[in-house]
Amino acid sequence: MTGRGEAEPEIAAYLAFFRAAEALKDTLRSGHTARGRPESTAEHTWRLCLMALTLEDALPDVDVGRLLRLLILHDLGEAIGGDIPAPEQGTDKTADERADFLRLLAPLPDAGRARLLALWDEYNAVATPEARLAKGLDRLETVLQHTQGANPPDFDYEFNLDYGRTHTDAHPLIAALRAPVDAETERLARLRGRR
């Protein structure tokens, strides 16, 4: 260990990464909390992880530890580039977010950087059971938040009825959880005169 106040290079690298990742706490999403405050991406990620942990007993064929790792990392690139609301997302969102994620990972030692990037890529490839479930939970949490949040008067509930349907329908438990959320979304759309 070096003298007081001087961190070893690896310790400094970890701290640089942790400090940069803190920006996710201030990265705002299009959703709002029940009290009307814009939701942060970090708050979205927290509830996703809580959902996965809570559903663990109902997911016997899923590595919940791996699922949690995917969920924790899936939106981390937004700490640099910000969140793009789903209706406004273009085709290169994933490429841009990956570049931001790589920039965020830059201070880390090679092995740690490679491990985290592999998890991020796994989530986006949606090729493993954990990645498919992570995508489904991500979409479910989003539409759930939109039914709870104090959204602006022009909020488009109609969009949520189809948003992420492929991912939420890929797992029977997520599809079952989504059904009452969709019913609430339809009710809110009718109240706003959009259905």
Side-chain angles (χ1 to χ4, degrees):
M1 202 68 175
T2 57
R4 219 174 190 190
E6 296 176 36
E8 291 183 25
E10 195 170 89
I11 297 299
Y14 290 135
L15 289 173
F17 172 70
F18 298 151
R19 286 181 177 122
E22 189 269 347
L24 204 64
K25 293 180 180 183
D26 286 322
T27 301
L28 301 180
R29 293 170 53 87
S30 61
H32 291 75
T33 66
R35 292 185 180 179
R37 177 182 52 76
E39 169 196 33
S40 77
T41 301
E43 292 166 323
H44 160 70
T45 298
W46 167 80
R47 185 155 76 166
L48 272 173
C49 292
L50 179 65
M51 290 165 71
L53 190 62
T54 303
L55 297 172
E56 183 172 9
D57 292 341
L59 303 169
D61 298 328
V62 172
D63 178 344
V64 174
R66 184 169 202 81
L67 174 61
L68 288 169
R69 289 190 287 280
L70 296 173
L71 293 173
I72 288 167
L73 296 175
H74 86 286
D75 277 340
L76 194 51
E78 292 181 9
I80 292 177
D83 177 61
I84 301 170
E88 300 168 22
Q89 290 176 6
T91 53
D92 37 338
K93 177 201 185 265
T94 301
D96 291 344
E97 200 169 311
R98 188 177 195 273
D100 290 341
F101 187 62
L102 281 168
R103 199 168 126 209
L104 201 63
L105 295 176
L108 292 176
D110 291 345
R113 186 170 51 247
R115 181 173 45 81
L116 297 182
L117 181 59
L119 287 164
W120 192 92
D121 286 340
E122 178 183 339
Y123 170 83
N124 283 288
V126 199
T128 64
E130 290 78 12
R132 286 188 292 276
L133 189 56
K135 282 278 190 180
L137 284 169
D138 178 49
R139 298 329 191 248
L140 175 64
E141 198 286 330
T142 298
V143 295
L144 177 61
Q145 186 60 45
H146 289 155
T147 64
Q148 289 185 270
N151 299 308
D154 63 343
F155 187 82
D156 185 5
Y157 288 101
E158 197 79 24
F159 177 83
N160 280 343
L161 292 172
D162 290 323
Y163 175 67
R165 174 82 46 207
T166 302
H167 298 297
T168 57
D169 286 353
H171 193 282
L173 176 59
I174 305 308
L177 287 165
R178 180 163 182 162
V181 174
D182 282 346
E184 179 63 7
T185 299
E186 287 178 348
R187 186 187 72 77
L188 291 167
R190 279 194 304 276
L191 283 175
R192 297 277 172 98
R194 293 192 142 196
R195 194 144 178 90

